[in-house]
């Protein structure tokens, strides 16, 4: 996922672990049960996108570097 990262809204995260279930090599839960995105991620991009899309509270958001804004816009249209 060159140029991409995942932002976690800690206020919205319930710590349910859906992200860890979909992409265990890219997410973990900290001592407070909150989602943490690992850098570098170890899962394929589709699994990471599924984790972001599967978050029941919308606490996860894909964030792209400036060079990838068009790709992000395309992704957000599909969501």
């Amino acid at each position: 996922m060159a140029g991409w990262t995942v932002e976690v809204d800690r206020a919205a995260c319930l710590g349910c672990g859906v992200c860890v279930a979909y992409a265990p090599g890219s997410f973990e839960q900290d001592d407070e049960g909150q989602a943490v995105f690992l850098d570098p991620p170890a899962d394929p991009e589709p699994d990471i996108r599924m984790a972001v899309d599967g978050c029941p509270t919308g606490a996860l958001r894909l964030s792209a570097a400036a060079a990838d804004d068009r790709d992000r816009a395309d992704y957000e249209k599909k969501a």
Side-chain angles (χ1 to χ4, degrees):
M1 277 186 34
W4 289 84
T5 191
V6 174
E7 296 176 6
V8 179
D9 179 349
R10 293 184 60 82
C13 180
L14 293 176
C16 67
V18 168
C19 56
V20 176
Y22 282 123
S26 302
F27 292 92
E28 65 182 16
Q29 291 175 288
D30 65 14
D31 292 338
E32 297 174 5
Q34 301 284 287
V36 176
F37 184 65
L38 304 175
D39 186 23
D43 295 293
E45 184 176 335
D47 292 352
I48 295 169
R49 288 176 184 258
M50 192 177 311
V52 170
D53 292 342
C55 179
T57 63
L60 304 176
R61 184 172 73 94
L62 285 175
S63 178
D68 295 326
D69 281 345
R70 185 178 49 177
D71 292 337
R72 181 182 62 190
D74 289 344
Y75 172 74
E76 290 173 348
K77 285 182 202 172
K78 294 176 189 174

